[in-house]
Amino acid sequence: MPYLRRLALAAIMVAGSGLSARAEDLVVGAFGGSFADNVKACHVAAFEKATGATVSLKLGNSSQFAAAIRATAGAPDMDVVFIDNSLAAQMHGEGMAETIDRSKLANAADVIPSAWGKDDSYVVAMVSATALVYNPKLVQTPPTSWLDLFDPQYAGKYAIGDISGTSGLQFFLALNKLKGGTLDNVDPGIEAIKPLAEGSAVLYTQADQLLSLFERGEIAIAPWYPDRAGVAMDKGLSLAVAYPKEGAVGILPAVMIPKGTKKRDLALKFVDQVLSAEGQQCFSERAYIGSVNSKVTLPEKLQKLVPYGDTLANTWFIDPDVIAKNLPVWTRRWQREVAR
């Protein structure tokens, strides 16, 4: 092959590989299942249309994302991450979060002030909770307390989350509080949850693991998310949500930009889309979750499922910095004493 022809062919191949590399412009860490579906519908589609960029979702839970950010410190393989606010606070404390520049966000002024994390290291994107979800075909009397999981009628018919997932951590802390523990002393919670963990159908780590268990009637009740339950109910699954009289535990899923991303400006545009009134309204209605954009009004149907009114007032929102500080110790104790 003549030299000039080989040179031209090589140039075409290099150009082609460059186009292929650019085809995936932004990598976003997101929770799986219906959450990811709603991210695509409410945020990815609008973002791609507005920017011409493409988005690839990397699925996982908050603990997995935090571990990945640590493992790739300074050279992250994700550009934006949906993550529980307590883990976002931990990432900030470890110097692994970019500052979110509000001046570059068209929708920043519409976001409620309490949504912004310390030093604008993250921003809460929605409001949810861990509550009790049950199958009304199998549970005649709706549960009213976290302690109802100890009722013999549920033996072998319940599931709780592993501490690596938000619902597992939050149920553990709620139980600890009920048993007289504090965030500085989780001994009561560890002892109380041991028998529950042993009898659980599964210590689930991904939220949608419960769907097949509920579908097959293998479980009747679980500490889970009202938003996931609402989506499943729309698809015909027999579920109902009960807010414990002691109070649900609030969830504030946030978005953060890992330190060192080479696509910071593009990441900020995605965050802006997440915070927009249109994006928030879409996500709230599809995912049964509360909004942080003050321009969004929740339909009545949502108000009955998400933390709202009295249920919101009774929800326990735990200081994310306290969780960030203690979670490594709690996790080690869980792995050593509970998940054996």
Side-chain angles (χ1 to χ4, degrees):
M1 183 183 292
Y3 173 75
L4 290 178
R5 186 178 174 188
R6 290 201 305 271
L7 190 63
L9 181 59
I12 291 171
M13 291 176 67
V14 170
S17 66
L19 287 172
S20 176
R22 288 195 298 271
E24 200 169 274
D25 286 313
L26 198 73
V27 179
V28 176
F31 312 128
S34 59
F35 188 98
D37 293 339
N38 294 327
V39 169
K40 291 176 185 177
C42 298
H43 303 315
V44 171
F47 170 82
E48 290 183 337
K49 183 178 179 180
T51 64
T54 57
V55 172
S56 174
L57 295 185
K58 180 176 181 179
L59 306 183
N61 64 33
S62 293
S63 295
Q64 291 167 339
F65 290 144
I69 293 170
R70 290 190 188 98
T72 57
D77 58 2
M78 296 175 288
D79 305 299
V80 179
V81 177
F82 285 91
I83 188 169
D84 186 83
N85 70 324
S86 62
L87 271 298
Q90 192 168 324
M91 293 296 94
H92 171 57
E94 296 174 21
M96 296 186 183
E98 293 278 359
T99 298
I100 297 176
D101 187 349
R102 296 196 208 187
S103 69
K104 295 185 178 180
L105 304 181
N107 299 291
D110 298 328
V111 175
I112 58 175
S114 58
W116 297 97
K118 187 176 181 181
D119 301 324
D120 287 354
S121 55
Y122 65 87
V123 59
V124 170
M126 58 202 75
V127 181
S128 187
T130 295
L132 291 172
V133 178
Y134 65 98
N135 182 345
K137 291 181 179 178
L138 301 177
V139 178
Q140 303 303 315
T141 303
T144 60
S145 169
W146 291 118
L147 298 177
D148 285 348
L149 281 174
F150 290 92
D151 193 317
Q153 71 171 309
Y154 300 127
K157 301 290 286 184
Y158 68 87
I160 64 173
D162 183 78
I163 199 171
S164 64
T166 301
S167 63
L169 169 64
Q170 292 193 333
F171 172 63
F172 165 61
L173 293 178
L175 186 59
N176 180 64
K177 185 179 181 182
L178 276 173
K179 294 296 185 177
T182 67
L183 294 177
D184 293 321
N185 174 24
V186 296
D187 290 346
I190 290 286
E191 290 306 310
I193 208 163
K194 283 180 182 178
L196 281 180
E198 186 174 344
S200 180
V202 64
L203 290 177
Y204 67 91
T205 57
Q206 302 294 332
D208 283 358
Q209 282 179 263
L210 292 189
L211 286 173
S212 59
L213 296 176
F214 273 124
E215 286 170 351
R216 295 193 298 264
E218 293 182 22
I219 61 171
I221 190 170
W224 203 37
Y225 310 122
D227 52 295
R228 298 298 181 112
V231 172
M233 289 158 65
D234 275 350
K235 295 178 180 178
L237 191 57
S238 175
L239 292 177
V241 175
Y243 280 81
K245 62 186 178 183
E246 303 91 358
V249 185
I251 300 174
L252 299 174
V255 281
M256 62 166 286
I257 301 173
K259 193 80 169 179
T261 175
K262 294 179 172 58
K263 299 164 187 171
R264 190 168 179 272
D265 288 342
L266 201 58
L268 284 168
K269 290 179 181 178
F270 188 83
V271 171
D272 203 25
Q273 164 58 36
V274 170
L275 299 176
S276 69
E278 297 78 15
Q280 292 269 304
Q281 187 82 45
C282 172
F283 206 95
S284 288
E285 293 181 359
R286 287 178 61 99
Y288 290 91
I289 208 161
S291 170
V292 297
N293 188 303
S294 59
K295 292 184 175 179
V296 173
T297 301
L298 295 182
E300 185 176 346
K301 183 179 180 181
L302 263 71
Q303 294 177 17
K304 295 178 180 179
L305 276 181
V306 305
Y308 191 85
D310 291 341
T311 57
L312 178 60
N314 198 32
T315 295
W316 182 27
F317 287 96
I318 309 173
D319 186 336
D321 289 319
V322 174
I323 293 180
K325 179 178 117 178
N326 289 288
L327 185 56
V329 175
W330 296 339
T331 299
R332 285 194 294 272
R333 287 200 61 184
W334 178 281
Q335 293 170 342
R336 188 173 62 245
E337 301 176 49
V338 178
R340 293 183 296 173

